[in-house]
Amino acid sequence: MTPLRIVYDGECPFCANYVVLLRLREGHAVELINARTDRTRANSYGLDLNDGMIVDLDGEVFHGAKAVALLSRLSRRRGVLSSDRVAKAVYPAMRFGRAVTLKVLGRKPL
């Protein structure tokens, strides 16, 4: 099985639900890393998780819109976000929605 590591914000309801909804475990050894509880490993990528989740597929790192598009392509439920172009266009709105939701819920950015 191909190793697949997903680093996400465990306090973001969108991030957590998206990760749970994807069906990736059939072809990959999935490891979920909550950036809130495992900051050392999350920070080891040197990427800002407030700009998007991180996906490490067998050593190749994807961030933000590219990570979401990759996860969509790898899941059995491929959707509109599996297109890099669509994910890139939609991702700023997704980030904005996440920021507003975290603020409303009283949660701090990472």
Side-chain angles (χ1 to χ4, degrees):
M1 292 182 102
T2 306
L4 177 69
R5 182 173 294 136
I6 302 169
V7 185
Y8 70 103
D9 180 355
E11 288 188 13
C12 170
F14 302 120
C15 302
N17 287 330
Y18 186 73
V19 168
V20 169
L21 287 175
L22 294 173
R23 298 176 185 193
L24 301 167
R25 295 190 191 273
E26 293 174 3
H28 305 280
V30 178
E31 179 183 8
L32 299 176
I33 300 170
N34 180 342
R36 302 249 178 203
T37 58
D38 195 347
R39 289 201 184 246
T40 302
R41 290 181 64 202
N43 291 338
S44 71
Y45 286 94
L47 298 167
D48 187 349
L49 281 154
N50 290 305
D51 289 337
M53 69 172 56
I54 298 168
V55 175
D56 180 340
L57 177 61
D58 199 21
E60 188 172 355
V61 178
F62 301 81
H63 183 234
K66 290 183 178 186
V68 169
L70 175 67
L71 290 176
S72 186
R73 283 193 299 274
L74 293 176
S75 76
R76 287 187 8 210
R77 296 170 50 166
R78 292 176 62 136
V80 68
L81 291 176
S82 62
S83 161
D84 285 330
R85 192 176 78 215
V86 172
K88 184 177 180 180
V90 172
Y91 202 74
M94 293 170 67
R95 273 194 8 232
F96 177 75
R98 173 188 176 269
V100 169
T101 300
L102 289 177
K103 188 169 194 112
V104 167
L105 294 173
R107 298 175 184 166
K108 296 180 181 181
L110 287 167

